[in-house]
Amino acid sequence: MDEKEYESYVKKVTPTTSLAKNMFMAFLAGGIICLIGQVLINLFIKMGLEKETAINYETLILVFSAILLTGLNVYQKLAKHGGAGTLVPITGFANSVGSCAIEFKKEGQVFGIGCKIFTIAGPVILYGLFSSSLLGFIYWIYTLFSH
Amino acid sequence: MDYLKAFLIGGIICAIVQIFIDKTKLMPGRIMVGLVVLGTILGFIGLYQPFIDFAGAGASVPLLGFGNTLMKGVKEAVDSEGFLGIFLGGLKTCALGISSALIFGYIASLIFNPKTPD
Amino acid sequence: MQHIGKASISFDNTPYIQEYASIVGKKEGEGPLGKYFDEINEDSLFGGDNWEDAESRLIESTISKLLSKANMSSTDIDYILSGDLLGQLIASSFGLVNFNIPLFGLYGACSTFGEAVSLGSVLVASGAANRVIASASSHFASAEKTFRFPLGYGNQRKFSATWTTTGCGSVIISKDTGKVKITGITTGKIVDYGLKDKENMGACMAPAAADTIYNNLCDFGRNPSDYDKIFTGDLGYIGQTILIDLLREKGIDISDVHSDCGIEIFDINLQDTHAGGSGCGCSASTFCSYIMKQFEAGKFKRILLVPTGALLSPTSSNEGNSVPGIAHGVVFEAV
């Protein structure tokens, strides 16, 4: 059996969980988190905040709640069922930051928490910044000619 | 209506990403990076902001929205600052998301300890 | 003691397992083998300060338990052969420092218990030592931290993923008559079928297990039915299917005698452990509890234990390497 044959054989004998079920759970979890976000935004707007400010407060609360639930050992239990539904929202980003900080605290403030807090969040920030700056550069060239 | 749209659209985005989790060897880290980068691209070509205007939190809460926010910041900064805006804008608009996650994450590490699942 | 066949050693003056001990975590204690372990510790930190410290304490208390069960002190032991999954074997180093026994630190990933018992038997059979301890351990949290994600990270495990056993198993191998004799070993080579999926370790390791079992049967001129059981270390359900298929291709049917420590140690339906248990501590603690007790109850005459290891590191998988496997076979017989 060569490598390709073995890989396809392994794929055949490896049971997978139902994609439809996982997608439904992701839909439910992600939908609910976004719904909570919308409820918060509308609430803050009703309280008289500007839309931008309302969104900022909403983000703040979602991030805070996700990290609190991570510390209380709840977020990971939700994620077990929610899958992408808990990974994709900003709360998933917050969970990655919080869980790394908590896990590596025993390795010290600087080399433990300080370095490892970025283990999963770092790439997200780096590549988000890099691609937006690259596209920003293109946009800058465009502005030079359009004026 | 706001609520229904947020729930449905946010849910659909997550359900689509679930396909990538289940059917590819991409780890969650790569998927998160991919979403943010995709968000910057969609923001750049001007598709994402109208989408947020339509779907509200259903489009802004997923990490795609985070990418869009980054892009929005860079665009605005390029408009006002020119070349330097490429480097000034990104972190400005997404400062809240990054700072809050890091600061709350750090505080959490002072309070909580890692636990094994039951 | 002589080298036979391709990869085996047969012992004529056989070394014996004189005593054994196993300590496991809460989840393992709640599993099907719960009643066979010497101790179940409900505290996942084992009284320690962090996960690495926890594993060291687990090793230290298992060796202490072993010595007290055998009515011995560390001066009665010539060597320890021990290994774990952490970088530079820190769990073993810090766990064994107080015993003042000469140490061979071993790394064979999850096959370490097989490697330790093999080399320990050779030391004793050759006359280089009278009594040695062979030991291996793993801890769920220290392994997750090293190889996977922080415990608090919301990751969805695939069905093919395994659950690292929190446990340590240790034996005293001696030239004096004991509970079980070690009549031969078959040393595994690295087998790599090019698989890169570290969430499907069973599939990565099954070819190595098949190779070692095949060599063992050829070298000793045996059939699968000459063994009451062939225990692999931590192939899990998927690995088991693959192993049986791979050997069937070579005309060998082990389906009647095969068991896997990773399948035995957890209840897949009740304990949500997906494909089964894994880790060095999986085969070590299963051997040093259930398997030894079956021997003592007269239920086994001869078994082949084949702990299986996946030879990857976080670096090697980041660099896009495959996950090669290795498996070390040891033949145990009733006295």
Side-chain angles (χ1 to χ4, degrees):
Chain A
M1 220 186 291
D2 69 15
E3 288 186 7
K4 279 269 166 297
E5 283 167 2
Y6 187 65
E7 202 183 340
S8 59
Y9 160 74
V10 166
K11 209 171 167 187
K12 207 181 74 199
V13 296
T14 301
T16 47
T17 32
S18 149
L19 178 62
K21 185 185 156 232
N22 285 353
M23 281 176 74
F24 176 73
M25 293 305 287
F27 172 77
L28 209 60
I32 289 172
I33 293 171
C34 293
L35 176 64
I36 294 170
Q38 192 65 52
V39 169
L40 290 170
I41 294 173
N42 288 10
L43 194 73
F44 290 128
I45 291 178
K46 212 168 261 173
M47 285 164 64
L49 295 182
E50 290 285 322
K51 194 173 175 196
E52 290 278 302
T53 318
I55 291 176
N56 278 342
Y57 273 110
E58 168 248 3
T59 305
L60 201 63
I61 290 176
L62 287 184
V63 168
F64 176 81
S65 316
I67 289 178
L68 183 66
L69 290 177
T70 302
L72 294 173
N73 221 11
V74 173
Y75 199 86
Q76 46 276 47
K77 283 179 192 148
L78 300 175
K80 187 180 148 33
H81 305 287
T86 46
L87 175 80
V88 173
I90 187 85
T91 51
F93 176 76
N95 165 252
S96 76
V97 173
S99 62
C100 289
I102 292 168
E103 184 69 69
F104 288 93
K105 64 187 282 190
K106 302 289 183 183
E107 293 185 27
Q109 291 287 324
V110 173
F111 296 111
I113 303 169
C115 293
K116 301 291 174 57
I117 198 168
F118 290 103
T119 306
I120 301 165
V124 174
I125 298 171
L126 169 67
Y127 290 104
L129 269 180
F130 181 75
S131 86
S132 65
S133 297
L134 189 71
L135 295 167
F137 178 72
I138 299 170
Y139 179 68
W140 172 69
I141 291 174
Y142 164 77
T143 57
L144 291 183
F145 291 100
S146 67
H147 288 314
Chain B
M1 196 57 198
D2 273 4
Y3 299 129
L4 189 65
K5 278 195 288 191
F7 175 71
L8 287 178
I9 298 205
I12 288 168
I13 293 174
C14 294
I16 293 169
V17 175
Q18 186 70 39
I19 302 175
F20 288 88
I21 293 185
D22 283 14
K23 293 291 169 193
T24 68
K25 300 265 182 290
L26 296 170
M27 302 300 280
R30 291 200 190 92
I31 289 174
M32 284 165 89
V33 168
L35 285 168
V36 171
V37 171
L38 183 63
T40 63
I41 295 170
L42 293 174
F44 175 71
I45 55 179
L47 283 180
Y48 212 78
Q49 197 53 48
F51 184 46
I52 291 181
D53 295 339
F54 170 72
S60 65
V61 171
L63 284 172
L64 290 164
F66 192 69
N68 176 63
T69 308
L70 268 162
M71 193 65 240
K72 197 167 135 194
V74 173
K75 262 185 169 173
E76 284 169 5
V78 168
D79 283 336
S80 59
E81 311 273 343
F83 179 76
L84 279 181
I86 297 168
F87 301 94
L88 282 170
L91 283 179
K92 208 181 270 172
T93 41
C94 67
L96 187 110
I98 295 176
S99 304
S100 60
L102 288 176
I103 291 162
F104 294 142
Y106 178 72
I107 296 171
S109 78
L110 302 178
I111 302 170
F112 298 108
N113 285 313
K115 278 182 218 68
T116 47
D118 312 316
Chain C
M1 181 170 78
Q2 57 178 352
H3 191 270
I4 58 165
K6 204 169 150 193
S8 301
I9 294 173
S10 165
F11 301 113
D12 17 60
N13 50 337
T14 57
Y16 292 86
I17 302 278
Q18 206 169 16
E19 194 52 82
Y20 60 93
S22 58
I23 298 180
V24 297
K26 180 164 173 268
K27 192 179 182 87
E28 292 69 21
E30 289 165 352
L33 306 186
K35 60 179 177 212
Y36 299 107
F37 300 115
D38 288 304
E39 242 177 77
I40 296 158
N41 198 323
E42 302 271 316
D43 174 16
S44 56
L45 277 168
F46 290 84
D49 184 45
N50 53 59
W51 302 127
E52 292 74 19
D53 187 28
E55 190 171 340
S56 294
R57 285 163 185 260
L58 163 66
I59 296 171
E60 186 169 10
S61 37
T62 310
I63 302 288
S64 299
K65 183 88 198 169
L66 176 68
L67 290 172
S68 82
K69 273 177 89 178
N71 265 324
M72 286 182 196
S73 71
S74 46
T75 48
D76 296 313
I77 308 296
D78 298 324
Y79 294 102
I80 293 189
L81 302 95
S82 171
D84 55 82
L85 291 176
L86 306 187
Q88 287 74 41
L89 302 181
I90 51 168
S92 295
S93 305
F94 290 99
L96 297 171
V97 60
N98 292 327
F99 292 101
N100 293 308
I101 303 172
L103 166 73
F104 290 109
L106 305 177
Y107 187 81
C110 309
S111 73
T112 302
F113 188 67
E115 189 179 3
V117 173
S118 294
L119 292 172
S121 304
V122 170
L123 280 177
V124 171
S126 70
N130 289 326
R131 228 176 265 122
V132 306
I133 288 176
S135 179
S137 72
S138 54
H139 189 294
F140 176 80
S142 64
E144 284 292 305
K145 188 180 161 190
T146 305
F147 294 99
R148 291 179 179 137
F149 296 105
L151 294 177
Y153 184 58
N155 177 49
Q156 210 171 28
R157 307 168 80 86
K158 296 203 167 157
F159 177 77
S160 55
T162 48
W163 189 278
T164 306
T165 305
T166 299
C168 179
S170 310
V171 292
I172 294 174
I173 303 170
S174 162
K175 67 180 173 61
D176 306 322
T177 310
K179 301 173 194 279
V180 166
K181 58 185 176 183
I182 301 162
T183 58
I185 61 170
T186 303
T187 304
K189 64 170 195 276
I190 299 166
V191 180
D192 187 358
Y193 274 29
L195 218 59
K196 290 184 178 173
D197 190 357
K198 55 181 178 174
E199 286 183 287
N200 196 352
M201 300 278 219
C204 297
M205 300 186 292
D211 186 69
T212 299
I213 293 169
Y214 180 79
N215 283 339
N216 177 274
L217 296 174
C218 293
D219 293 350
F220 288 93
R222 287 180 188 145
N223 292 312
S225 57
D226 292 328
Y227 291 110
D228 295 311
K229 281 278 179 196
I230 296 176
F231 285 98
T232 46
D234 52 0
L235 293 184
Y237 289 92
I238 299 162
Q240 179 181 49
T241 309
I242 297 172
L243 171 69
I244 290 171
D245 279 359
L246 288 175
L247 284 172
R248 203 169 268 154
E249 262 181 28
K250 294 189 173 180
I252 295 168
D253 184 4
I254 62 160
S255 57
D256 290 339
V257 293
H258 181 254
S259 277
D260 182 71
C261 300
I263 294 175
E264 302 289 329
I265 200 165
F266 291 122
D267 185 323
I268 187 181
N269 296 316
L270 297 177
Q271 295 189 289
D272 191 35
T273 46
H274 293 221
S278 63
C280 307
C282 180
S283 53
S285 62
T286 303
F287 179 80
C288 298
S289 57
Y290 170 69
I291 297 176
M292 279 303 295
K293 294 234 157 86
Q294 295 300 100
F295 264 119
E296 287 184 305
K299 295 206 176 125
F300 289 159
K301 288 274 167 288
R302 180 198 282 150
I303 67 141
L304 173 62
L305 178 73
V306 190
T308 40
L311 299 173
L312 82 166
S313 82
T315 309
S316 73
S317 59
N318 283 346
E319 289 174 348
N321 280 317
S322 56
V323 182
I326 195 160
H328 298 302
V330 185
V331 181
F332 298 93
E333 292 182 31
V335 176

